[in-house]
Amino acid sequence: MLGRLNHVAIAVRDAAKAARIYGVAFGADISEAVPLPEHGVTTVFATLPNTKIEFIEPLGAESPIAKFLDRNPDGGIHHVCYEVADIRASRDLLIKEGARVLGSGEPKIGAHGKPVLFLHPKDFSGALVEIEEA
Ligand code: CO
């Protein structure tokens, strides 16, 4: 069962700089920058009443968003994250329906300390989809 929209992620060169205007002009609560070496990104969150905006910047030489930023030097929307109740059950149903799970297929711990998986954009209308166990 698909749950809430947890966040929309925007890839940028400088996450803190990108998030700043959401704080000063929109009054959003802005998190500290959190490095996630396992995902090759540093994240900064702007919290909105109904969801979050996740700003991600490359971390390390092998960052999975490096190519995206080469193609989109000004930044851009990178993925959407939906909550699911049971990530392994959701993964198994998605695979059964022909969707491709990126990486090893085993959930990794994401920015909120919860298991996440990424799904192939070609199976989701061109949008990279992250699922997070709520
Ligand atoms: Co995300």
Side-chain angles (χ1 to χ4, degrees), residues 32-50:
E32 294 298 309
V34 177
L36 298 174
E38 199 187 352
H39 294 275
V41 295
T42 294
T43 63
V44 174
F45 281 93
T47 302
L48 283 54
N50 63 340

Side-chain angles (χ1 to χ4, degrees), residues 5 10 17 22 25 40 46 63-64 66-67 70-71 77-79 82 84 88 91 98 103 111 113-114 120 133-134:
L5 174 66
I10 299 177
K17 186 177 166 204
Y22 282 70
S63 176
K67 274 191 195 132
D70 286 345
R71 290 194 304 270
I77 293 180
H78 184 262
H79 64 267
Y82 306 123
V84 295
R88 286 184 170 80
R91 173 198 62 193
K114 294 175 176 169
H120 202 298
E133 192 160 276

Side-chain angles (χ1 to χ4, degrees), residues 47-109:
T47 302
L48 283 54
N50 63 340
T51 191
K52 296 183 278 291
I53 306 298
E54 175 188 52
F55 295 94
I56 48 178
E57 68 178 44
L59 175 64
E62 300 296 307
S63 176
I65 64 170
K67 274 191 195 132
F68 180 91
L69 285 169
D70 286 345
R71 290 194 304 270
N72 303 277
D74 297 325
I77 293 180
H78 184 262
H79 64 267
V80 294
C81 177
Y82 306 123
E83 295 179 1
V84 295
D86 181 334
I87 198 164
R88 286 184 170 80
S90 290
R91 173 198 62 193
D92 294 347
L93 277 169
L94 286 158
I95 290 170
K96 189 167 163 254
E97 292 301 323
R100 286 162 283 184
V101 176
L102 300 184
S104 71
E106 278 307 303
K108 286 185 184 176
I109 297 303

